[in-house]
Amino acid sequence: MTQIPSKAQILEWVSDNPDANSKRDIAKAFGIKGAARIELKRLLKELESEGHLERRRRHYLDAEALPPVTVLELLAPDGSGDLFARPLEWSGTGPMPRILYAPLKADPALARGDRFLGRLIPVVGEDHQYQARLIRRITASANRITGIFRKDSEGGRILPIDKGQDKEWRVRADATLDAQNGELVQAEQIGPRHRMGLPQARVIERLGDPSAPRTVSLIAIHQHGIPDEFPQKAIDEAEAATPAPLKGRDDLRPLPLVTIDPSDARDHDDAVAAFVEEDGGATIWVAIADVAHYVRPGSALDREAWNRGNSTYFPDRVVPMLPEALSADLCSLHEGVDRAVIAVEMRLDAQGNKTSHRFHRGVMNSRASLAYEQAQAGADGHPDAQTEPLMEEVIRPLWHAYALLKAARERRQPLELDLPERRIELTPEGRVKAVAFRERLDAHRLIEEFMVLANVAAAEELIRRKRPLLFRVHEEPSLDKMDALREVAQASGFTLAKGQVLHTSHLNRLLAQAEGSDFDELINLSTLRSMTQAYYHPENYGHFGLSLKSYAHFTSPIRRYADLVVHRALISAHHWGKDGLTDDALERLPETAIHISETERRSMAAERDTTDRYLAAFLADRVGTEMSGRISGVQKFGAFVKLDETGADGLLPIRAIGQEYFHFDPEARTLVGSDTGLEIGIGQRVLVRLAEALPLTGGLTLDLLELEGATLPRGPAKPRRGGPGRMAVKSRLAEIKRATKRRRKK
C-alpha cells in the first residue's frame, strides 16, 4: 500500500522545490499512484484552506515563501541608501519578507514605485530574506492617487484632489489601512481598470487632516513622489562633516567677495566680486560652494542627492537636495567665515565680451551677506550702515561690470521675457495672507548675468579640455508652436515674421510691440508656452533661449545635482583631487541626464500645483465676487482666464459662456457662437464672477459677465419671449467687435 506523506513532509518538500510544485510533481516525489492520488488531493486542499499552501493555476507554493520569479515594486532607499523591493502579492501570515534589490551595471535605472519582474535568490544570515535580480521592467511608478477618504459600509471611496481626475476610487474594507472619514490618503490602483464601475484602490499611506495648516505643500510632495525624508546614513554623513582643509587650495580670502540673496535666504551658495580695469573693462569673480568636497561619489549623501535631483521650493517649506548640516552650514558662504569654493575669474573687455577665464579651487571669506534690496539701494546712492563701507570696493565695481554685461546681452539678444513672479505670503499658522508680485531689481539681473557668464565659462572650459559633462540644453521651438504664437500675436494686433530662420531677436521684437499694452503679459506668457522645455544632456545642442552655443549649470550645486556633476568634471579636468567624476559616473551620464531632467519637471509640477492650491484657498472666501482678467487659452470645453489681481488661472466652462452652442475652431483658437457668430479668443478682456474655488484641487471656476466691456449676448439671434430681440443682440455683438478692434489698435 502506498505510504501517504504527512502535511509536514509535503510542506517541507514544497519549500525545498519551488520550481517543481504541481500536484503531479508532489505525487511523483512521494511515489503516489492510482487511488492514493485522491488522498493526496484531499491533503493539499486542507493545506490550502489552512493557509499553509497557495494554489496558483496547477502549482502549489509555500504560503510563507515567495516564488523564485515574482513581480516586485521598488521602494525608496533605506537609511543606508540600499534599495529594497516589496512583492505585489503576499499571502503569508508572518511579516512580509525583505527583498534587497541588487542591480547589475548593465541594468536600467529604476525609480521608486517602478514595478519589475525579478528573480529571487534566498539569503541566509542577513537582515533580508531575498536578493532580487532584474529580469525586466514592467511599468513605471504604479498608478497612484491622492485624495479624501470617505468611509462607508463596504470600506470606502477616495475623492481625488487632482484637477485632471473626477472619478472616485473604490476601497475594500480590508484595504483602507484604518483610514478615518475625511482623512487625506494616498492610494494605488489594484487590478485592471474597467470601463464600467469604479476603479479599485488600496490605501498605502494616511496623510492626516487635509484642512490643517501647511498641508498644501505636503499634498504636492506625496502626490508627485518627492522624497522628503533623508536616509539616516546620509544625515550621519552630513553631520559628521568638518570644514575643508586649507592646504592645497588657492587663498581667495583677500578678494572682496559678497553674497547677494533674498532677504529671507537661509543658504548662500554663490559669491561675487568685480574689479574695474584701466581699459574700461572688468574682472569678475564668481565663487561657488565646493559641495563636491563634502558629497563624495558613491556615498549615501551622493545617492540621495542623485535620487532627489534638485531642491523643491514651496511657500511654506523647502525640500532640499542636501541635509541642512551642509546646505545651511558648511556649504553656505556665510559672512566672515572661511569656506571652500570653486571659483572662476573672468576678464571682460570694454564692450563686455569675455576674453578669458580661469578656474580655482580655493577658500574664501565673505565680506558681507547682502539682500537684493540692500545692494540696490547702495547702487542707487542710498547705502545703509552695512553697505556704506562697501561702496568703493564692492558695490560700484559690481555695477560697472554689470553695465558691460548688459551691453553684451543686448547684442546677443537672449529671449527677453518679462513675467511677474507671484509670491504667496503666509501667516505664521500657514494661511494665505496675501498674493503679491516680486519686484525685479537691477540687483537681481546683475546676479543672473554673473551666473550666466560663469556657467558659460564652465561649459567652455570642459569642452576645451575634452572632458565629459552635462550640458543645459534648450532647443528652438517647433514650427507648430510658432504658428500658434503667431495666431495669438495677430489676434492681439501684433506681427511675428514668418518664413525665416527663427532667432530670439524675432521674438524680442514681438515682446517689444506688446510692452506697455493691455496684451503685455499675454504675449509674454504665450511666448513662454511656445518654448521647448530645457533639459540636461551629455551632448551639446546649444541654448536657444539664452542665445548661447554652449551652456552648463555650475553655480548651484547645493540645490542641483547637474551643477555637482560639472564641479566634479572640473575637479577631474584640473587634477584637483580624487573627488572628481568616477568611471562609473561617466558611464551613467546619459542616465543621470534623463533622471535629473525628470526630477526637475517633477519639482516644477509640484510647485505649480501648490501655488494653484494656495491661490484657490486665498480666493475661497470671495466666491461671488466680480473680477477682471484676460482670456489666456481656448479649448473645446471652454476658455481659461488669467485674473488681473492675483495672476491665477480660472476655467470658464462653455456652459457658463452663453445659452447658444459654441463651436471650437482649433486653427483660429476661438469659440464661435452658432447663432450670434460671436467669437471668443485669446487676448480678449473679460469681467467674470468667481463661481467656485476648490483649495484641495486648486481649481477655479468662473462665470462670464462681460466681454470687451460689453455684456454678453444671450441666446439665438432671433426674437425670443422675455429675452433680447435680434436687433439688440446684433447691437451688443457689434459693440464687442468695435471694442476688440480699439484695443488692438492701441
Side-chain angles (χ1 to χ4, degrees):
M1 185 176 178
T2 304
Q3 180 70 36
I4 301 296
S6 67
K7 290 182 179 180
Q9 288 174 314
I10 293 174
L11 289 174
E12 183 180 1
W13 191 89
V14 168
S15 180
D16 292 339
N17 298 272
D19 291 323
N21 43 38
S22 68
K23 188 173 72 173
R24 177 181 294 178
D25 293 328
I26 297 170
K28 186 177 181 181
F30 289 99
I32 300 174
K33 299 178 181 179
R37 288 175 176 268
I38 298 174
E39 180 63 16
L40 175 63
K41 184 177 180 180
R42 184 187 65 79
L43 282 176
L44 292 175
K45 281 195 172 182
E46 284 185 10
L47 288 170
E48 186 180 351
S49 64
E50 292 167 1
H52 297 300
L53 287 181
E54 180 184 359
R55 186 176 186 182
R56 295 185 185 171
R57 295 187 181 178
R58 297 179 178 230
H59 291 70
Y60 286 93
L61 303 175
D62 182 351
E64 299 302 320
L66 289 168
V69 174
T70 191
V71 178
L72 305 169
E73 180 181 324
L74 195 66
L75 304 175
D78 71 353
S80 301
D82 292 325
L83 293 173
F84 284 84
R86 70 175 183 89
L88 289 190
E89 294 186 20
W90 169 247
S91 56
T93 57
M96 182 182 291
R98 295 193 79 204
I99 305 169
L100 176 68
Y101 173 53
L104 301 175
K105 267 193 173 181
D107 289 343
L110 298 182
R112 176 187 178 185
D114 284 359
R115 294 181 175 183
F116 64 99
L117 190 65
R119 182 174 300 283
L120 299 184
I121 305 168
V123 175
V124 179
E126 300 286 347
D127 64 347
H128 52 278
Q129 290 73 48
Y130 296 94
Q131 191 177 89
R133 298 287 187 188
L134 176 70
I135 296 176
R136 63 181 174 87
R137 179 177 172 176
I138 298 175
T139 61
S141 302
N143 191 359
R144 294 191 173 182
I145 180 177
T146 303
I148 305 300
F149 181 73
R150 295 298 182 198
K151 204 168 188 177
D152 61 30
S153 58
E154 298 177 357
R157 298 188 181 199
I158 297 175
L159 283 62
I161 60 174
D162 291 347
K163 286 183 185 177
Q165 292 185 339
D166 55 5
K167 200 169 188 179
E168 297 177 1
W169 293 54
R170 164 63 63 188
V171 182
R172 297 196 310 260
D174 61 351
T176 66
L177 205 65
D178 295 325
Q180 301 302 302
N181 191 48
E183 198 170 23
L184 186 67
V185 299
Q186 189 172 48
E188 68 176 10
Q189 181 180 342
I190 55 175
R193 191 162 185 168
H194 302 290
R195 293 180 63 185
M196 303 296 292
L198 298 180
Q200 298 287 318
R202 64 171 160 229
V203 176
I204 58 174
E205 190 170 0
R206 296 167 58 187
L207 305 178
D209 182 2
S211 62
R214 304 187 186 275
T215 301
V216 174
S217 56
L218 188 64
I219 291 173
I221 288 169
H222 284 83
Q223 195 173 7
H224 293 277
I226 295 174
D228 63 334
E229 292 185 10
F230 284 101
Q232 188 58 47
K233 194 169 182 180
I235 294 174
D236 292 342
E237 286 181 3
E239 293 180 347
T242 56
L246 305 184
K247 186 179 179 181
R249 291 179 175 271
D250 294 344
D251 189 357
L252 308 180
R253 288 175 292 184
L255 295 174
L257 289 159
V258 298
T259 62
I260 305 177
D261 294 290
S263 57
D264 58 353
R266 297 181 62 190
D267 57 71
H268 312 276
D269 57 358
D270 57 77
V272 295
F275 298 92
V276 179
E277 301 295 342
E278 292 183 358
D279 63 357
T283 297
I284 291 175
W285 283 82
V286 173
I288 308 298
D290 190 356
V291 175
H293 172 79
Y294 300 99
V295 182
R296 299 299 177 104
S299 65
L301 276 170
D302 185 44
R303 288 195 297 268
E304 184 61 15
W306 186 93
N307 182 41
R308 296 182 177 217
N310 49 263
S311 299
T312 307
Y313 295 86
F314 301 105
D316 64 331
R317 73 182 79 199
V318 176
V319 180
M321 187 179 80
L322 300 175
E324 193 169 326
L326 293 182
S327 62
D329 189 7
L330 285 179
C331 293
S332 187
L333 310 180
H334 294 302
E335 179 179 341
V337 181
D338 288 351
R339 285 289 184 255
V341 294
I342 294 180
V344 57
E345 173 188 9
M346 297 169 286
R347 180 73 169 84
L348 303 181
D349 63 20
Q351 287 72 46
N353 302 307
K354 180 171 71 67
T355 58
S356 65
H357 66 253
R358 184 183 176 194
F359 281 86
H360 305 258
R361 197 173 199 185
V363 59
M364 64 158 281
N365 191 297
S366 174
R367 297 286 178 88
S369 295
L370 303 179
Y372 284 115
E373 293 78 9
Q374 273 184 293
Q376 187 66 55
D380 292 341
H382 308 290
D384 61 13
Q386 188 178 18
T387 54
E388 178 66 46
L390 303 173
M391 290 301 299
E392 293 303 320
E393 190 180 24
V394 176
I395 302 297
R396 290 195 177 97
L398 285 175
W399 256 258
H400 171 79
Y402 169 58
L404 298 178
L405 290 178
K406 189 176 178 182
R409 178 188 175 93
E410 289 173 357
R411 292 194 301 274
R412 192 176 84 243
Q413 283 282 304
L415 192 59
E416 297 286 1
L417 288 172
D418 186 18
L419 287 167
E421 184 182 354
R422 284 175 296 195
R423 184 179 74 251
I424 307 293
E425 297 179 2
L426 303 178
T427 66
E429 296 77 30
R431 308 290 182 189
V432 183
K433 178 173 65 176
V435 178
F437 292 95
R438 296 184 189 276
E439 186 180 7
R440 287 277 294 166
L441 305 171
D442 277 346
H444 293 98
R445 298 182 179 93
L446 180 152
I447 294 299
E448 287 173 4
E449 290 303 313
F450 277 42
M451 296 305 115
V452 167
L453 193 66
N455 287 335
V456 169
E460 291 177 348
E461 177 77 359
L462 292 170
I463 290 172
R464 183 176 68 83
R465 292 176 177 266
K466 298 181 180 179
R467 294 284 179 159
L469 72 147
L470 289 180
F471 292 94
R472 181 64 168 177
V473 174
H474 184 228
E475 297 181 86
E476 66 180 59
S478 66
L479 293 176
D480 288 344
K481 287 191 173 183
M482 280 297 95
D483 287 342
L485 176 60
R486 195 170 287 107
E487 289 171 6
V488 174
Q490 290 172 350
S492 304
F494 309 121
T495 58
L496 176 61
K498 190 176 182 180
Q500 54 185 304
V501 177
L502 182 68
H503 296 290
T504 48
S505 58
H506 300 140
L507 298 172
N508 286 339
R509 281 197 286 272
L510 170 62
L511 295 168
Q513 293 176 59
E515 186 176 0
S517 73
D518 288 343
F519 300 92
D520 194 344
E521 185 179 355
L522 173 69
I523 295 299
N524 273 270
L525 187 62
S526 299
T527 303
L528 176 64
R529 288 173 176 169
S530 71
M531 294 295 104
T532 59
Q533 194 161 18
Y535 61 95
Y536 297 102
H537 201 280
E539 299 294 328
N540 184 14
Y541 300 122
H543 199 294
F544 174 80
L546 291 174
S547 193
L548 292 168
K549 292 181 180 179
S550 305
Y551 195 65
H553 274 163
F554 158 75
T555 55
S556 295
I558 288 180
R559 62 185 180 89
R560 291 187 306 223
Y561 196 83
D563 303 57
L564 180 55
V565 170
V566 170
H567 275 230
R568 288 172 176 167
L570 289 167
I571 291 168
S572 297
H574 292 88
H575 308 289
W576 283 334
K578 297 181 179 180
D579 47 353
L581 277 181
T582 62
D583 291 341
D584 182 58
L586 287 171
E587 288 181 14
R588 295 181 66 196
L589 272 185
E591 172 193 336
T592 297
I594 294 171
H595 172 71
I596 62 177
S597 297
E598 290 174 349
T599 60
E600 179 186 47
R601 286 191 285 271
R602 176 181 69 184
S603 293
M604 290 171 63
E607 291 164 358
R608 184 175 60 248
D609 288 353
T610 299
T611 298
D612 288 346
R613 288 189 174 102
Y614 271 123
L615 287 170
F618 179 65
L619 295 171
D621 60 354
R622 298 173 63 182
V623 171
T625 304
E626 295 182 4
M627 302 174 180
S628 61
R630 188 182 295 281
I631 293 177
S632 58
V634 176
Q635 295 292 337
K636 62 182 178 181
F637 51 81
F640 291 98
V641 175
K642 181 168 284 294
L643 300 175
D644 294 336
E645 182 183 349
T646 61
D649 292 297
L651 174 63
L652 194 60
I654 206 162
R655 58 175 167 76
I657 294 177
Q659 295 177 355
E660 63 182 315
Y661 174 77
F662 277 86
H663 168 70
F664 175 58
D665 184 342
E667 291 188 4
R669 295 181 182 273
T670 58
L671 292 169
V672 182
S674 58
D675 297 311
T676 63
L678 175 66
E679 289 189 7
I680 297 176
I682 294 173
Q684 290 177 314
R685 297 289 306 170
V686 293
L687 180 68
V688 296
R689 180 187 295 113
L690 181 60
E692 189 177 41
L694 302 174
L696 277 175
T697 64
L700 300 176
T701 306
L702 311 170
D703 290 331
L704 182 60
L705 302 178
E706 292 181 4
L707 184 69
E708 294 290 1
T711 56
L712 191 69
R714 299 285 183 180
K718 60 182 180 181
R720 179 178 277 189
R721 186 177 297 176
R726 178 187 292 270
M727 295 307 296
V729 171
K730 282 188 174 181
S731 174
R732 272 187 298 217
L733 181 57
E735 186 180 348
I736 291 172
K737 290 181 177 179
R738 286 194 298 271
T740 302
K741 287 181 180 179
R742 284 197 300 271
R743 289 188 179 275
R744 288 177 180 173
K745 286 180 180 178
K746 288 182 182 179

